[in-house]
Amino acid sequence: MACIDNITKSLFLGWIMDIREAKKIGEECYNELKDARALKRKIYDIRRNIEYDYLLAEELRNAGIMSTDIVSVALMEFSKRILNNAELVKDEFKEKEGLKYTVIDVGYKKIIRGYCENCKDLGDGIVTLSSVNGVLIFSGKLIYAEVFSGSINKAIDEILKNIMRKL
Amino acid sequence: MRIKTLTLKLDSDILPHSKNEVDDYDIISEYLLQVFEDNVDYAEDIDINEPSLIFASILSSRMIEGIPESVVSYKLGKWGSKLYSGDVAGNIAEIITYALLHQRYSIPFDKIIPLRPVKYLGIITDGIVDISISKRLQEELDTNKGLLFINTRSSMIYNHSAMLRRISTSLKNLEVARYQDNYGLLSLVLRYSGEIYDYLVFVKP
């Protein structure tokens, strides 16, 4: 099931405001799993007819509905929500040397959220960004930075330098 | 930030599923809480990396910012008479659970599938993890394959009877997705005598 491997990525892409790509994953997932609509109806019918909640698990299995079927229905529903709810504002993310990022200006500080698609795994870590009085944290392909002074471009350059050193 | 964890493994055979069994989920929940209360002194300390809470929060079901501050405040019970709204407390429980899974079992954040936004279906849990991706999880569960269905519950003020109801509902919901061959985790994030506990109840087939 390809959807199960990708759906979390769509949340990360939404986080950095790459809505177009996030929706694309939602769409692929929905197309892959749309047959689960019939299963959803079947599950609802069974649910309606059980006397007590604790019997539902066994009733579903007796009707041939397994854990993986339930996961398919949930993923289909989730992908539908991604498709319907992600507002396609103008793509506000930027990209530099493979790092997709978005900047949130809170006035007294700027927050950078990033996703490094081509990075293998940055591990977990925290480093100071000396050129801009800030801090960078990362985990896997995700980065997050807070910058208190100086320019964003300078911060991005220092972040990229740090990421490259990790690879 | 230091939190405390207690781990319990439950054999799914003791959970009733069929008509010829009595619905004794309330009794089982009472047992789970009793085990927690009797063993709080033996809980294991674990340091949660505050930064990892930020990434774990991407997986939570509500849009919420400034998570490390909120979680630390949650632990300290700051704000005197004020409490977090149920929504925020629920989110904090999700985030602590995912951060703990990441740190304790080396599960990368992109391998956690959060499904709480579609929990209204009534058949799915808050999250899923494929057991085969984490060696430590395999050791914990003594298996190398299967899915781990995760439900989280939180309580900022420890109330025994309110928790009983929540555990009971959560376990039944877990069983709908897990039964028969997969694994379950009920993660109870509790603020209990000034500490945050993550009480991990694993359900094994």
Side-chain angles (χ1 to χ4, degrees), chain A residues 37-163:
Chain A
R37 281 175 299 188
L39 266 176
K40 185 180 157 186
R41 271 191 296 274
K42 199 171 162 191
I43 291 170
Y44 272 14
D45 283 343
I46 295 170
R47 257 185 88 185
R48 210 172 299 131
N49 293 320
I50 54 153
E51 217 173 330
Y52 300 104
D53 288 347
Y54 79 101
L55 302 173
L56 183 58
E58 196 175 72
E59 287 294 323
L60 290 174
R61 300 306 176 270
N62 288 343
I65 296 164
M66 302 297 155
S67 293
T68 45
D69 298 321
I70 290 172
V71 173
S72 297
V73 172
L75 286 173
M76 177 208 54
E77 193 79 7
F78 193 31
S79 56
K80 206 163 73 183
R81 277 178 76 98
I82 293 171
L83 277 176
N84 295 343
N85 295 355
E87 250 179 88
L88 199 59
V89 284
K90 54 182 169 126
D91 278 354
E92 287 210 43
F93 78 98
K94 295 184 174 66
E95 197 162 4
K96 193 171 182 184
E97 292 171 38
L99 175 72
K100 284 181 177 176
Y101 66 94
T102 190
V103 180
I104 298 168
D105 191 343
V106 205
Y108 70 99
K109 69 176 176 185
K110 292 184 178 70
I111 292 169
I112 301 169
R113 296 167 172 178
Y115 184 73
C116 178
E117 176 91 65
N118 301 322
C119 294
K120 271 191 188 133
D121 184 349
L122 300 169
D124 283 2
I126 179 162
V127 286
T128 329
L129 297 173
S130 49
S131 67
V132 288
N133 187 18
V135 66
L136 163 71
I137 62 168
F138 45 84
S139 180
K141 291 170 187 274
L142 295 163
I143 70 130
Y144 172 94
E146 290 192 5
V147 171
F148 289 92
S149 61
S151 80
I152 280 295
N153 288 338
K154 235 179 180 177
I156 293 295
D157 286 342
E158 198 177 340
I159 289 169
L160 284 168
K161 219 184 285 168
N162 269 293
I163 292 176

Side-chain angles (χ1 to χ4, degrees), chain B residues 1 3 13 17 22-23 35 43 55-56 64 70 78 85 91 106 110 115-116 131-132 139-140 149 151 167 171 176 191:
Chain B
M1 186 190 70
I3 67 164
D13 283 351
H17 302 102
V22 186
D23 177 3
V35 170
F55 301 121
I64 177 168
S70 297
K78 290 284 181 188
S85 86
N91 251 275
S106 307
D110 62 354
L115 290 170
R116 192 161 172 135
I131 295 166
S132 69
E139 284 162 10
E140 182 79 82
F149 289 93
N151 256 349
I167 294 173
L171 272 180
V176 173
R191 198 165 162 276

Side-chain angles (χ1 to χ4, degrees), chain B residues 129-166:
Chain B
V129 166
D130 183 344
I131 295 166
S132 69
I133 57 133
S134 160
K135 227 178 165 55
R136 289 194 210 170
L137 194 56
Q138 290 172 30
E139 284 162 10
E140 182 79 82
L141 297 170
D142 206 14
T143 183
N144 53 16
K145 59 177 195 308
L147 292 172
L148 179 70
F149 289 93
I150 306 155
N151 256 349
T152 63
R153 280 290 181 169
S154 73
S155 169
M156 195 175 177
I157 291 179
Y158 187 79
N159 178 321
H160 187 94
S161 61
M163 273 319 287
L164 280 185
R165 281 195 304 276
R166 289 180 195 164

Side-chain angles (χ1 to χ4, degrees), chain B residues 44-82:
Chain B
E44 188 188 322
D45 284 347
I46 180 161
D47 261 314
I48 296 285
N49 257 329
E50 283 85 353
S52 74
L53 295 168
I54 294 174
F55 301 121
S57 78
I58 308 174
L59 303 173
S60 79
S61 53
R62 297 275 184 265
M63 210 172 119
I64 177 168
E65 308 278 345
I67 275 299
E69 293 92 321
S70 297
V71 175
V72 174
S73 279
Y74 184 87
K75 179 180 176 184
L76 298 172
K78 290 284 181 188
W79 268 119
S81 59
K82 286 194 199 181

